[in-house]
Amino acid sequence: MTTPAIQYDMTPQELRRTVEKYGLETCWPEIEAGLRNEVLLSPGESKYDDLPVGGTKQGGEPDLPPGMDWPKYSRRGVPGLRNTRKPMTFLMQLRCGDLRPFAPPQFPDHGLLSFFVAIEQNELVRDQNENPVGRVLYSPGSEIEMLVRTPFPRGLYFGNRLPPCSLKIESSTGVSFDLLSEIMERHFGFSEEIHDRVWNLYRQEIIPAGRHKLFGPSTALEGSRLFQFSFLETQELETELADEALSESGTNNDINNDWVLLLEFDPADLPPGLLADENGRLFYEIRRDDLAAGRFDKTELRHDDA
């Protein structure tokens, strides 16, 4: 199978020019030290599901080993709902070999990752901790030749079947909003003007609008808890409390380097009406030890609102 050509989005040199455009050239050495490689995924045009079996794509019918059960979710224990198991929505599959040149060392060389999420009545299904319910399946390299295109199961609402499309892969350079804020405050002190300045830089130049991404820092979204805590004056909040608050909002790749962003999915790319709230992002995150061991069942899923 041919590996798609990798295109380049934001290079460190381009990011440096952007930082200088905002008059922040004195901050560049510290920003450069915090740069992270990432991969951006841009959906192509929808078409018939004639994309190669085992290849990188969004939507359509997934490619799974024969006999593998389609991931399902249960609403057991939720008052007023029947205790039935229902099929999850298939989002995308990623051929590991397509991403390996830019992946962390723990990432597998071969195989296929398939991402699912539970959606019911235009809403994300959430667990007892209010996190979205989802699954990541891994088909190792030894199984890749045995994959078959798996039909949508009965019970999966027609509107939850994403149209198939190819994905353009782009290598890019990212930096976290938290790090930018920290550097700016160190150089210029804390003020709303400084935060507005760094947010404008981040929102207009760095956030990959309309694209999904992997491996880099999680995107900070205006209105999310993670973003709101970035605006708290450090004089009024102990460092321990800030870390605790960030931890409660989800695993943050830049606070805790033990985690890898396996996929950041932008719901705005979903078909109209699939989700009532198409804002925010879905974050599939996994610990590096679990990634190295291939324990993709340990992947955690969270959702930040915009």
Side-chain angles (χ1 to χ4, degrees):
M1 183 178 296
T2 303
T3 300
I6 302 292
Q7 302 189 38
Y8 292 85
D9 190 70
M10 176 77 78
T11 66
Q13 294 76 18
E14 291 170 330
L15 185 55
R16 178 174 185 170
R17 289 193 289 268
T18 298
V19 168
E20 291 173 348
K21 182 177 72 174
Y22 280 76
L24 306 174
E25 56 273 8
T26 58
C27 302
W28 174 248
E30 294 172 76
I31 294 175
E32 184 179 27
L35 296 182
R36 300 269 299 278
N37 292 330
E38 60 188 22
V39 171
L40 304 182
L41 302 173
S42 302
E45 294 183 1
S46 298
K47 57 182 180 180
Y48 295 109
D49 206 349
D50 57 356
L51 298 168
V53 172
T56 292
K57 69 168 186 172
Q58 176 176 302
E61 297 174 335
D63 301 328
L64 302 174
M68 176 176 281
D69 291 335
W70 187 290
K72 296 181 179 180
Y73 66 95
S74 174
R75 300 305 298 269
R76 186 175 301 278
V78 179
L81 293 175
R82 293 180 296 174
N83 296 331
T84 57
R85 292 176 57 80
K86 297 184 178 181
M88 293 187 185
T89 296
F90 171 63
L91 294 180
M92 69 170 57
Q93 61 186 37
L94 302 175
R95 182 174 176 266
C96 296
D98 294 344
L99 306 167
R100 190 66 191 89
F102 304 97
Q106 300 86 358
F107 195 76
D109 293 322
H110 306 285
L112 188 75
L113 290 174
S114 304
F115 296 83
F116 294 80
V117 67
I119 300 176
E120 185 171 291
Q121 297 180 348
N122 307 110
E123 300 286 347
L124 291 170
V125 177
R126 298 179 182 270
D127 60 20
Q128 63 272 20
N129 297 317
E130 289 301 311
N131 290 319
V133 174
R135 286 279 303 280
V136 177
L137 301 181
Y138 175 58
S139 302
S142 58
E143 298 179 1
I144 202 76
E145 300 301 328
M146 299 187 296
L147 297 177
V148 295
R149 189 133 298 167
T150 305
F152 293 118
R154 294 181 59 184
L156 181 64
Y157 176 59
F158 183 81
N160 285 20
R161 305 177 184 190
L162 276 63
C165 67
S166 59
L167 288 168
K168 181 174 70 173
I169 301 174
E170 300 172 285
S171 174
S172 189
T173 302
V175 62
S176 76
F177 177 76
D178 293 321
L179 178 62
L180 286 176
S181 295
E182 178 185 333
I183 293 171
M184 291 279 284
E185 290 179 19
R186 190 157 53 241
H187 280 256
F188 303 105
F190 177 87
S191 69
E192 290 295 332
E193 187 275 332
I194 292 300
H195 276 295
D196 288 344
R197 195 172 171 191
V198 71
W199 174 244
N200 287 334
L201 164 64
Y202 185 76
R203 177 187 59 188
Q204 298 177 17
E205 309 287 351
I206 296 176
I207 290 180
R211 289 176 285 185
H212 318 302
K213 76 173 193 173
L214 304 85
F215 308 139
S218 300
T219 299
L221 303 172
E222 189 172 17
S224 72
R225 291 190 63 204
L226 187 60
F227 179 85
Q228 291 169 3
F229 280 118
S230 297
F231 278 78
L232 294 174
E233 296 188 46
T234 55
Q235 302 94 316
E236 297 180 0
L237 190 62
E238 297 284 343
T239 302
E240 303 83 50
L241 294 178
D243 290 343
E244 178 183 350
L246 288 167
S247 175
E248 290 177 355
S249 69
T251 54
N252 184 299
N253 298 311
D254 302 296
I255 300 274
N256 186 346
N257 201 38
D258 287 342
W259 291 85
V260 172
L261 180 64
L262 202 57
L263 174 65
E264 177 180 315
F265 188 91
D266 187 352
D269 190 58
L270 293 173
L274 179 56
L275 274 180
D277 182 5
E278 296 178 351
N279 296 318
R281 303 282 173 93
L282 288 168
F283 300 91
Y284 292 81
E285 297 164 321
I286 188 170
R287 292 186 183 276
R288 290 185 185 274
D289 289 347
D290 291 329
L291 178 59
R295 295 191 293 262
F296 291 95
D297 58 309
K298 301 290 187 180
T299 302
E300 296 190 11
L301 178 57
R302 65 182 175 90
H303 174 244
D304 270 353
D305 296 319

PDB file of all heavy atoms in Angstrom, residues 275-289:
ATOM      1  N   LEU A 275     -24.553  16.009  15.597  1.00  0.00           N
ATOM      2  CA  LEU A 275     -24.427  16.467  16.977  1.00  0.00           C
ATOM      3  C   LEU A 275     -25.144  17.798  17.117  1.00  0.00           C
ATOM      4  O   LEU A 275     -24.936  18.706  16.303  1.00  0.00           O
ATOM      5  CB  LEU A 275     -22.961  16.627  17.374  1.00  0.00           C
ATOM      6  CG  LEU A 275     -22.207  15.405  17.903  1.00  0.00           C
ATOM      7  CD1 LEU A 275     -20.774  15.786  18.243  1.00  0.00           C
ATOM      8  CD2 LEU A 275     -22.897  14.808  19.119  1.00  0.00           C
ATOM      9  N   ALA A 276     -25.963  17.921  18.162  1.00  0.00           N
ATOM     10  CA  ALA A 276     -26.661  19.190  18.393  1.00  0.00           C
ATOM     11  C   ALA A 276     -25.658  20.304  18.667  1.00  0.00           C
ATOM     12  O   ALA A 276     -25.837  21.440  18.244  1.00  0.00           O
ATOM     13  CB  ALA A 276     -27.644  19.040  19.553  1.00  0.00           C
ATOM     14  N   ASP A 277     -24.582  19.970  19.408  1.00  0.00           N
ATOM     15  CA  ASP A 277     -23.531  20.928  19.706  1.00  0.00           C
ATOM     16  C   ASP A 277     -22.279  20.522  18.945  1.00  0.00           C
ATOM     17  O   ASP A 277     -21.598  19.563  19.302  1.00  0.00           O
ATOM     18  CB  ASP A 277     -23.241  20.951  21.211  1.00  0.00           C
ATOM     19  CG  ASP A 277     -22.178  21.985  21.591  1.00  0.00           C
ATOM     20  OD1 ASP A 277     -21.742  22.737  20.693  1.00  0.00           O
ATOM     21  OD2 ASP A 277     -21.797  22.025  22.769  1.00  0.00           O
ATOM     22  N   GLU A 278     -22.001  21.235  17.850  1.00  0.00           N
ATOM     23  CA  GLU A 278     -20.848  20.894  17.024  1.00  0.00           C
ATOM     24  C   GLU A 278     -19.605  21.666  17.433  1.00  0.00           C
ATOM     25  O   GLU A 278     -18.587  21.634  16.728  1.00  0.00           O
ATOM     26  CB  GLU A 278     -21.170  21.163  15.554  1.00  0.00           C
ATOM     27  CG  GLU A 278     -22.303  20.288  15.011  1.00  0.00           C
ATOM     28  CD  GLU A 278     -22.638  20.587  13.579  1.00  0.00           C
ATOM     29  OE1 GLU A 278     -22.109  21.587  13.046  1.00  0.00           O
ATOM     30  OE2 GLU A 278     -23.423  19.828  12.979  1.00  0.00           O
ATOM     31  N   ASN A 279     -19.671  22.359  18.566  1.00  0.00           N
ATOM     32  CA  ASN A 279     -18.511  23.113  19.035  1.00  0.00           C
ATOM     33  C   ASN A 279     -17.580  22.206  19.824  1.00  0.00           C
ATOM     34  O   ASN A 279     -17.905  21.073  20.163  1.00  0.00           O
ATOM     35  CB  ASN A 279     -18.961  24.286  19.904  1.00  0.00           C
ATOM     36  CG  ASN A 279     -19.777  25.291  19.124  1.00  0.00           C
ATOM     37  OD1 ASN A 279     -19.444  25.615  17.994  1.00  0.00           O
ATOM     38  ND2 ASN A 279     -20.852  25.774  19.716  1.00  0.00           N
ATOM     39  N   GLY A 280     -16.430  22.739  20.161  1.00  0.00           N
ATOM     40  CA  GLY A 280     -15.497  22.007  20.993  1.00  0.00           C
ATOM     41  C   GLY A 280     -14.693  20.996  20.207  1.00  0.00           C
ATOM     42  O   GLY A 280     -14.682  20.978  18.973  1.00  0.00           O
ATOM     43  N   ARG A 281     -14.015  20.119  20.920  1.00  0.00           N
ATOM     44  CA  ARG A 281     -13.200  19.069  20.316  1.00  0.00           C
ATOM     45  C   ARG A 281     -13.308  17.795  21.149  1.00  0.00           C
ATOM     46  O   ARG A 281     -13.535  17.847  22.368  1.00  0.00           O
ATOM     47  CB  ARG A 281     -11.726  19.487  20.253  1.00  0.00           C
ATOM     48  CG  ARG A 281     -11.434  20.784  19.501  1.00  0.00           C
ATOM     49  CD  ARG A 281     -11.462  20.593  17.997  1.00  0.00           C
ATOM     50  NE  ARG A 281     -11.339  21.865  17.299  1.00  0.00           N
ATOM     51  CZ  ARG A 281     -10.176  22.372  16.879  1.00  0.00           C
ATOM     52  NH1 ARG A 281      -9.056  21.713  17.103  1.00  0.00           N
ATOM     53  NH2 ARG A 281     -10.139  23.519  16.234  1.00  0.00           N
ATOM     54  N   LEU A 282     -13.126  16.661  20.496  1.00  0.00           N
ATOM     55  CA  LEU A 282     -12.985  15.379  21.173  1.00  0.00           C
ATOM     56  C   LEU A 282     -11.498  15.052  21.254  1.00  0.00           C
ATOM     57  O   LEU A 282     -10.781  15.134  20.245  1.00  0.00           O
ATOM     58  CB  LEU A 282     -13.711  14.279  20.408  1.00  0.00           C
ATOM     59  CG  LEU A 282     -15.241  14.299  20.453  1.00  0.00           C
ATOM     60  CD1 LEU A 282     -15.799  13.329  19.409  1.00  0.00           C
ATOM     61  CD2 LEU A 282     -15.744  13.925  21.838  1.00  0.00           C
ATOM     62  N   PHE A 283     -11.044  14.680  22.451  1.00  0.00           N
ATOM     63  CA  PHE A 283      -9.631  14.393  22.671  1.00  0.00           C
ATOM     64  C   PHE A 283      -9.466  12.938  23.099  1.00  0.00           C
ATOM     65  O   PHE A 283      -9.934  12.546  24.176  1.00  0.00           O
ATOM     66  CB  PHE A 283      -9.044  15.312  23.751  1.00  0.00           C
ATOM     67  CG  PHE A 283      -9.133  16.781  23.437  1.00  0.00           C
ATOM     68  CD1 PHE A 283     -10.242  17.519  23.846  1.00  0.00           C
ATOM     69  CD2 PHE A 283      -8.128  17.426  22.735  1.00  0.00           C
ATOM     70  CE1 PHE A 283     -10.335  18.875  23.565  1.00  0.00           C
ATOM     71  CE2 PHE A 283      -8.213  18.777  22.449  1.00  0.00           C
ATOM     72  CZ  PHE A 283      -9.320  19.509  22.854  1.00  0.00           C
ATOM     73  N   TYR A 284      -8.804  12.138  22.266  1.00  0.00           N
ATOM     74  CA  TYR A 284      -8.429  10.774  22.621  1.00  0.00           C
ATOM     75  C   TYR A 284      -6.971  10.821  23.103  1.00  0.00           C
ATOM     76  O   TYR A 284      -6.066  11.150  22.319  1.00  0.00           O
ATOM     77  CB  TYR A 284      -8.530   9.847  21.414  1.00  0.00           C
ATOM     78  CG  TYR A 284      -9.936   9.596  20.927  1.00  0.00           C
ATOM     79  CD1 TYR A 284     -10.592  10.511  20.105  1.00  0.00           C
ATOM     80  CD2 TYR A 284     -10.606   8.415  21.252  1.00  0.00           C
ATOM     81  CE1 TYR A 284     -11.871  10.262  19.639  1.00  0.00           C
ATOM     82  CE2 TYR A 284     -11.894   8.159  20.782  1.00  0.00           C
ATOM     83  CZ  TYR A 284     -12.518   9.087  19.979  1.00  0.00           C
ATOM     84  OH  TYR A 284     -13.790   8.845  19.505  1.00  0.00           O
ATOM     85  N   GLU A 285      -6.749  10.498  24.374  1.00  0.00           N
ATOM     86  CA  GLU A 285      -5.419  10.611  24.973  1.00  0.00           C
ATOM     87  C   GLU A 285      -5.026   9.297  25.640  1.00  0.00           C
ATOM     88  O   GLU A 285      -5.866   8.614  26.232  1.00  0.00           O
ATOM     89  CB  GLU A 285      -5.385  11.763  25.974  1.00  0.00           C
ATOM     90  CG  GLU A 285      -5.644  13.106  25.300  1.00  0.00           C
ATOM     91  CD  GLU A 285      -5.998  14.223  26.278  1.00  0.00           C
ATOM     92  OE1 GLU A 285      -6.735  13.952  27.242  1.00  0.00           O
ATOM     93  OE2 GLU A 285      -5.539  15.349  26.072  1.00  0.00           O
ATOM     94  N   ILE A 286      -3.739   8.971  25.576  1.00  0.00           N
ATOM     95  CA  ILE A 286      -3.251   7.706  26.107  1.00  0.00           C
ATOM     96  C   ILE A 286      -1.907   7.926  26.790  1.00  0.00           C
ATOM     97  O   ILE A 286      -1.114   8.764  26.351  1.00  0.00           O
ATOM     98  CB  ILE A 286      -3.125   6.657  24.967  1.00  0.00           C
ATOM     99  CG1 ILE A 286      -2.802   5.277  25.527  1.00  0.00           C
ATOM    100  CG2 ILE A 286      -2.101   7.091  23.930  1.00  0.00           C
ATOM    101  CD1 ILE A 286      -2.897   4.173  24.473  1.00  0.00           C
ATOM    102  N   ARG A 287      -1.677   7.187  27.867  1.00  0.00           N
ATOM    103  CA  ARG A 287      -0.380   7.261  28.543  1.00  0.00           C
ATOM    104  C   ARG A 287       0.700   6.621  27.664  1.00  0.00           C
ATOM    105  O   ARG A 287       0.449   5.663  26.940  1.00  0.00           O
ATOM    106  CB  ARG A 287      -0.439   6.548  29.895  1.00  0.00           C
ATOM    107  CG  ARG A 287      -1.321   7.246  30.920  1.00  0.00           C
ATOM    108  CD  ARG A 287      -1.205   6.563  32.272  1.00  0.00           C
ATOM    109  NE  ARG A 287      -2.093   7.167  33.247  1.00  0.00           N
ATOM    110  CZ  ARG A 287      -1.794   8.260  33.961  1.00  0.00           C
ATOM    111  NH1 ARG A 287      -0.607   8.836  33.798  1.00  0.00           N
ATOM    112  NH2 ARG A 287      -2.656   8.751  34.816  1.00  0.00           N
ATOM    113  N   ARG A 288       1.912   7.160  27.758  1.00  0.00           N
ATOM    114  CA  ARG A 288       3.002   6.654  26.928  1.00  0.00           C
ATOM    115  C   ARG A 288       3.282   5.173  27.190  1.00  0.00           C
ATOM    116  O   ARG A 288       3.573   4.415  26.262  1.00  0.00           O
ATOM    117  CB  ARG A 288       4.265   7.480  27.155  1.00  0.00           C
ATOM    118  CG  ARG A 288       4.166   8.893  26.605  1.00  0.00           C
ATOM    119  CD  ARG A 288       5.448   9.677  26.723  1.00  0.00           C
ATOM    120  NE  ARG A 288       5.242  11.043  26.292  1.00  0.00           N
ATOM    121  CZ  ARG A 288       5.323  11.453  25.028  1.00  0.00           C
ATOM    122  NH1 ARG A 288       5.630  10.577  24.080  1.00  0.00           N
ATOM    123  NH2 ARG A 288       5.114  12.712  24.707  1.00  0.00           N
ATOM    124  N   ASP A 289       3.196   4.743  28.453  1.00  0.00           N
ATOM    125  CA  ASP A 289       3.426   3.331  28.764  1.00  0.00           C
ATOM    126  C   ASP A 289       2.383   2.443  28.095  1.00  0.00           C
ATOM    127  O   ASP A 289       2.712   1.366  27.580  1.00  0.00           O
ATOM    128  CB  ASP A 289       3.413   3.105  30.281  1.00  0.00           C
ATOM    129  CG  ASP A 289       4.636   3.684  30.968  1.00  0.00           C
ATOM    130  OD1 ASP A 289       5.605   4.033  30.252  1.00  0.00           O
ATOM    131  OD2 ASP A 289       4.628   3.799  32.211  1.00  0.00           O
TER     132      ASP A 289
END
